[in-house]
Amino acid sequence: MKKVLTIAGSDSTGGAGIEADLKTFQEYGVFGFASIAAIVTMDPTTGWSHEVTAMTAALVEKQLISAFAGEPMDALKTGILGNEANIAQAAKMIQQQQVKQVVVDPVIACKGTANILQPKSVDALKEHLLPLADVATPNLIEAGILSGLGDLQNIADMKAAAKKIYQLGAKCVVVKGGHRLASPKAIDVVYDGQSFTILESQRIETDFNHGAGCTFSAAITAGLAKGLTTLESIKLAKDFVAAAIRQGVLINPYVGHVWHGAYNHAEERMSPNE
């Protein structure tokens, strides 16, 4: 069985971060490992305001040592890491373990936070993690910040940002248009250093999309672990996430999550015989 590690933040509501990654890995039939770099909490008494609490780099290192104690990982992904020390620690272990398939979801802010990560953390992503990425999956805002191009408004802007991020070292860049792109389609731009691939699907009008970005990068990671090509992994991940969004679930009065089991109709499993 293929082994896949996520280094990311924990979302106790189960929709994003480590929780989304492990659910996605399970749906893909790979064995998931997890190292928690930060904990994201939401306060219902203050309108669901978010707070990100980073783990210490020493604790992240201990978790990674535990995760890597066995056979090599077949693939790895990173999500929100909390601070520059954790970013550097993750990059150090990826290099030491010579992980071959690395997906970097360069999370600069999570939904509901007022501020992006500190500028030093953005610089650390550029310096330490993006050069190790086989695939980087920034959303529209993240791509604008990492590329230095600011507000991206169309496919031409997304292409320009993808080129800039590729120059930072990522072997393949997927700029996700998401709901912020003014288009009736859900558009992603893929750049591998030689050519662009534009992926389009029907845009799903819903607010139940919490965790879509984490799920997308986790699905790419699992696809790579199972032997799919980079583009095959990205295309399947897009279909997987579309199904998850289409069957999104209202979790509480503040948020709705994607349903990670939608693609495989997981809700029908283990049902008692009628």
Side-chain angles (χ1 to χ4, degrees):
M1 183 179 295
K2 301 299 183 182
K3 297 163 58 179
V4 181
L5 170 65
T6 171
I7 314 169
S10 173
D11 171 13
S12 58
T13 72
I18 292 279
E19 288 77 5
D21 296 342
L22 292 177
K23 291 176 184 180
T24 302
F25 295 161
Q26 190 81 2
E27 290 300 314
Y28 266 74
V30 299
F31 195 94
F33 294 72
S35 296
I36 300 173
I39 296 176
V40 182
T41 53
M42 290 71 68
D43 188 349
T45 67
T46 57
W48 207 241
S49 61
H50 290 49
E51 182 178 358
V52 179
T53 303
M55 302 292 99
T56 65
L59 183 54
V60 172
E61 181 182 26
K62 287 180 179 180
Q63 293 178 79
L64 291 172
I65 290 170
S66 299
F68 281 112
E71 296 177 353
M73 294 291 168
D74 295 290
L76 176 154
K77 70 150 286 194
T78 64
I80 190 168
L81 297 175
N83 57 41
E84 58 269 26
N86 288 348
I87 292 169
Q89 182 60 63
K92 176 183 176 183
M93 187 63 79
I94 290 169
Q95 290 175 303
Q96 285 182 351
Q97 296 295 324
Q98 300 181 335
V99 182
K100 299 301 182 185
Q101 302 188 101
V102 178
V103 176
V104 174
D105 190 15
V107 180
I108 292 174
C110 57
K111 291 184 179 72
T113 52
N115 301 306
I116 66 168
L117 299 178
Q118 293 299 315
K120 287 184 179 179
S121 293
V122 176
D123 291 342
L125 280 170
K126 292 180 180 181
E127 179 181 354
H128 298 295
L129 269 185
L130 287 177
L132 304 178
D134 291 281
V135 184
T137 62
N139 63 27
L140 216 58
I141 291 177
E142 293 159 353
I145 293 170
L146 291 170
S147 66
L149 297 179
D151 189 19
L152 310 180
Q153 299 187 7
N154 51 49
I155 292 176
D157 290 346
M158 294 167 71
K159 285 183 174 181
K163 277 190 172 183
K164 293 276 189 181
I165 297 168
Y166 176 83
Q167 290 169 359
L168 294 173
K171 296 182 181 67
C172 179
V173 181
V174 187
V175 178
K176 303 174 292 186
H179 66 279
R180 297 181 180 91
L181 188 67
S183 170
K185 298 286 187 179
I187 298 175
D188 301 318
V189 171
V190 182
Y191 182 61
D192 63 2
Q194 296 183 336
S195 61
F196 289 98
T197 302
I198 309 300
L199 301 180
E200 295 186 359
S201 61
Q202 189 60 44
R203 181 168 171 160
I204 303 166
E205 296 298 336
T206 178
D207 292 327
F208 299 171
N209 60 4
H210 179 65
C214 302
T215 302
F216 180 68
S217 59
I220 293 172
T221 309
L224 291 172
K226 297 196 80 170
L228 299 179
T229 67
T230 299
L231 189 57
E232 288 171 342
S233 297
I234 294 166
K235 287 180 176 179
L236 180 56
K238 188 172 177 67
D239 291 342
F240 184 88
V241 172
I245 294 174
R246 195 172 291 112
Q247 294 189 35
V249 181
L250 178 63
I251 296 300
N252 56 46
Y254 305 95
V255 68
H257 293 353
V258 301
W259 166 225
H260 301 88
Y263 189 86
N264 293 322
H265 306 288
E267 67 277 3
E268 298 175 6
R269 298 184 193 138
M270 310 293 287
S271 297
N273 295 325
E274 296 183 358

